[in-house]
Amino acid sequence: MKTTRRTVLKSAAASLAVLAAPNLARSQANASNTLVWGDDSRSDVTFDPRVTQSRHEEQVIVQCFDQLIMSDEKSTLSPGLATSWQLSPDSTSLHLKLREGVKFHDGTAFNAEAVKFTLDTIVDPKTGSQGAVDMLGPYDKTEIISAHELKIHFKAPNAGIIDTLTETEMSIVSPAAVGAKGNTGFAQAPVGTGPFRFVSQEAGREVILERNPDYNWAPDWSTVKGPSNIQRIVHRYIPAASTRVAALEAGELHAADLLPALDVNRLQQSGKFKGFIGVAAGLSNGALFNITRSPFSDIRVRQAFMHAIDRDRVVQNLYFGLIKAAKGPLAPSTPGYWAGAAAYYPFDRNKANALLEEAGWKMGPGGIRVKDGQPLSVFFPSLTNPDAAVAIQGEAKRVGFDVKVEIVLKQRQDEILMNNQYEMAVLQWVSNSPGILRVPFHSSNVPVPGKFKFNWARVEDPALDAMIDKAGAARTPEERIKLYADLQKEIMDRAIYMPFQDQVQTAAASTKLQGLRFARGNWQVRFHEARIVG
């Protein structure tokens, strides 16, 4: 996250050209029941939950759709469009009873046919699902028992399905709307059952949503059971962080996301804004060590590197206490997180030096260790979070590492990673399932030229693959939790991944806007309970 200079803010506040209509924006932000949100993107393509894998698109989707099972930001489950659910003992089927009296925004009835249609079309290649199809897992079919009762069948055990059904991508869509508009039309004018209905969009500029006056099926954890206090949402696309901050301070936005931590801190101190930070579920923000190249082919060097980094102090200095250091491969907000990871690799320079000596790396000229005439050199390309990369560079130098940081664009990063030209690289990934561990650690995901994958540690071990596969095929939720805990322990024992900091969503809102809360996964922000005061 980059520091935003006061001079940049003044300049951005003066122009705000990206908003295109600042006077209109200010009048909308001052309306008592209109919420104006600033999003850090302008590249939304689809608002079809069955298709998307974009958190930006999901910021709109989460307002317009409901899931069968609803979850808050603390992973508290509640009846949603399903009033009850029962997983079979072998996790190959899920029996659901559905809520009655629910209507889609187009006036058609929600029922078992709508659920079957949604799940069947998710796995239909013609839909082009990018996220939901993988989340749904070994889906077989949906058996309709009655208008409001059904059973979902799987081809293999799917013990994580209850958590999966809380995902935004698993939202239930209106079959009538898809039939009338087609998949392409539905993606641009989606129809769900959520607290807000989709009204219109101007590509790259804004989306307009309006309150669903019939909404009365909020989850148990919601403080607002009926329609929202907010009548209208203006979702504005403002890619530049400095411009979003300036728009907040000018009163043209009520809230905005993904703001630099320094700005969140400053805005909070002004007393006019409240900052809130969600620890995103999924992978923590950390570095994968390339175990196929020296020096990280030696586990002792990997362990030494982790002991050498004072993660707590560095993260505190970078983010003013707003973000915490990470200690495990999964974020603590992820279901199945194993707390035992926190005990691994505490900061200990003496231990780091001893491990390097044991591995044959002796201190050489300029404070850089040497072995067999070669310096202890590490190439570290950084696409995201360059400040953290530079901080890690400085910490590692104290025990004799020469970390060469290169700030890269994505095309350069992809070339480096696919061609195995690096020693370490940072990866982060938002997911509400511990199953995400397959992405960076299974041998099927090692990148090669022409196939960009995310096992950047390049670990190819049948034993580790077997652990990943076994956890993914767990037959019960209890077995699943245990197997994923074992997998996290194995990853830490192998020292192939250095957790560095929590992956977070940073946001700030005017103190006049109350009742915001994160959705499950702590990335999207829900507006149903919001209200504007003063």
Side-chain angles (χ1 to χ4, degrees):
M1 295 182 181
K2 63 182 181 181
T3 300
T4 303
R5 302 292 186 186
R6 186 177 301 274
T7 54
V8 174
L9 289 177
K10 288 181 178 179
S11 174
S15 61
L16 285 174
V18 73
L19 292 180
N23 293 331
L24 176 60
R26 186 175 293 109
S27 67
Q28 289 172 332
N30 290 334
S32 61
N33 58 1
T34 295
L35 188 160
V36 185
W37 167 263
D39 191 90
D40 64 298
S41 175
R42 60 167 47 175
S43 59
D44 285 358
V45 174
T46 175
F47 298 111
D48 187 339
R50 304 170 302 163
V51 175
T52 187
Q53 63 173 358
S54 165
R55 70 169 181 85
H56 303 286
E57 293 162 355
E58 289 178 41
Q59 177 60 40
V60 171
I61 290 169
V62 77
Q63 320 304 334
C64 300
F65 288 87
D66 293 313
Q67 297 78 52
L68 291 167
I69 303 171
M70 300 288 283
S71 173
D72 68 359
E73 67 274 27
K74 298 178 181 178
S75 297
T76 302
L77 301 184
S78 169
L81 294 176
T83 57
S84 67
W85 53 90
Q86 182 63 52
L87 189 64
S88 67
D90 62 0
S91 298
T92 60
S93 66
L94 181 68
H95 181 217
L96 296 157
K97 292 186 178 180
L98 305 180
R99 193 178 298 275
E100 299 184 30
V102 175
K103 290 187 180 296
F104 288 101
H105 301 150
D106 59 5
T108 59
F110 161 77
N111 52 28
E113 289 284 356
V115 176
K116 175 177 170 56
F117 174 86
T118 298
L119 301 184
D120 287 351
T121 55
I122 283 173
V123 300
D124 185 345
K126 290 184 293 185
T127 304
S129 177
Q130 300 172 36
V133 65
D134 291 325
M135 294 177 180
L136 188 52
Y139 176 73
D140 183 17
K141 63 182 179 179
T142 297
E143 172 192 357
I144 295 178
I145 299 171
S146 70
H148 293 91
E149 188 174 358
L150 57 84
K151 185 177 286 189
I152 305 172
H153 295 272
F154 302 97
K155 299 173 183 177
N158 193 357
I161 186 59
I162 292 174
D163 278 333
T164 297
L165 291 179
T166 69
E167 300 271 13
T168 305
E169 292 90 338
M170 302 304 298
S171 299
I172 305 303
V173 305
S174 164
V178 175
K181 304 170 187 287
N183 286 332
T184 301
F186 185 85
Q188 303 305 309
V191 177
T193 62
F196 296 93
R197 65 180 185 89
F198 192 95
V199 176
S200 64
Q201 68 164 315
E202 185 177 341
R205 183 173 180 270
E206 69 179 21
V207 170
I208 303 296
L209 309 177
E210 287 185 352
R211 175 172 59 199
N212 177 3
D214 300 322
Y215 192 76
N216 64 356
W217 43 88
D220 294 343
W221 38 259
S222 178
T223 59
V224 176
K225 301 305 181 185
S228 176
N229 289 300
I230 300 298
Q231 183 172 349
R232 182 181 176 88
I233 297 170
V234 179
H235 180 106
R236 292 194 174 278
Y237 296 108
I238 309 175
S242 59
T243 307
R244 293 196 303 280
V245 172
L248 268 175
E249 294 189 295
E252 296 174 356
L253 300 176
H254 287 107
D257 72 342
L258 211 67
L259 301 178
L262 181 61
D263 286 305
V264 173
N265 190 48
R266 181 179 59 80
L267 289 168
Q268 286 191 122
Q269 291 177 351
S270 74
K272 298 179 180 179
F273 300 91
K274 178 181 179 181
F276 55 111
I277 295 177
V279 177
L283 295 180
S284 55
N285 188 314
L288 286 156
F289 297 118
N290 184 348
I291 66 172
T292 68
R293 291 169 61 101
S294 178
F296 290 137
S297 53
D298 189 330
I299 189 173
R300 294 169 295 184
V301 178
R302 303 196 299 269
Q303 292 170 332
F305 195 96
M306 285 194 272
H307 280 300
I309 311 301
D310 188 351
R311 286 172 282 176
D312 290 315
R313 180 180 58 80
V314 170
V315 173
Q316 169 71 28
N317 290 344
L318 284 173
Y319 305 114
F320 315 98
L322 296 172
I323 298 174
K324 294 182 179 180
K327 301 298 172 67
L330 291 180
S333 55
T334 311
Y337 167 75
W338 178 58
Y344 279 78
Y345 311 115
F347 171 59
D348 187 338
R349 283 201 190 108
N350 291 333
K351 179 71 171 176
N353 283 314
L355 284 164
L356 291 171
E357 290 287 333
E358 180 185 329
W361 292 95
K362 305 299 181 182
M363 193 60 75
I368 302 302
R369 291 181 179 271
V370 177
K371 180 180 179 180
D372 299 331
Q374 298 298 316
L376 185 56
S377 181
V378 172
F379 177 47
F380 183 10
S382 177
L383 172 66
T384 61
N385 213 347
D387 292 342
V390 171
I392 290 170
Q393 177 187 51
E395 289 283 294
K397 172 70 162 57
R398 295 177 180 231
V399 298
F401 281 93
D402 178 22
V403 179
K404 300 183 184 299
V405 174
E406 180 182 337
I407 309 305
V408 296
L409 298 176
K410 189 175 188 306
Q411 183 177 357
R412 166 72 171 151
Q413 174 203 254
D414 294 357
E415 177 186 349
I416 291 168
L417 294 171
M418 285 192 292
N419 289 285
N420 195 14
Q421 298 170 338
Y422 63 99
E423 277 71 60
M424 60 188 294
V426 169
L427 181 65
Q428 59 187 29
W429 200 296
V430 177
S431 173
N432 289 318
S433 168
I436 189 61
L437 293 173
R438 182 181 187 87
V439 171
F441 299 113
H442 197 277
S443 64
S444 61
N445 290 323
V446 173
V448 294
K451 187 181 83 170
F452 187 76
K453 294 288 187 176
F454 296 92
N455 180 346
W456 297 345
R458 294 182 170 268
V459 56
E460 296 186 76
D461 188 326
L464 186 60
D465 284 351
M467 291 186 72
I468 294 170
D469 293 339
K470 187 177 179 181
R475 300 183 71 84
T476 67
E478 294 76 18
E479 180 187 11
R480 184 171 184 258
I481 290 173
K482 180 185 182 304
L483 291 175
Y484 276 114
D486 292 344
L487 179 56
Q488 291 168 76
K489 182 179 186 303
E490 182 71 15
I491 290 167
M492 297 305 292
D493 284 339
R494 289 172 179 250
I496 52 180
Y497 181 73
M498 183 184 73
F500 181 68
Q501 68 185 58
D502 288 339
Q503 183 181 182
V504 300
Q505 165 67 295
T506 56
S510 165
T511 53
K512 295 180 179 180
L513 179 61
Q514 301 177 7
L516 295 184
R517 67 186 302 164
F518 283 112
R520 180 177 174 88
N522 294 287
W523 205 266
Q524 287 74 40
V525 178
R526 292 187 184 275
F527 299 143
H528 174 232
E529 298 168 71
R531 62 191 182 280
I532 300 171
V533 300

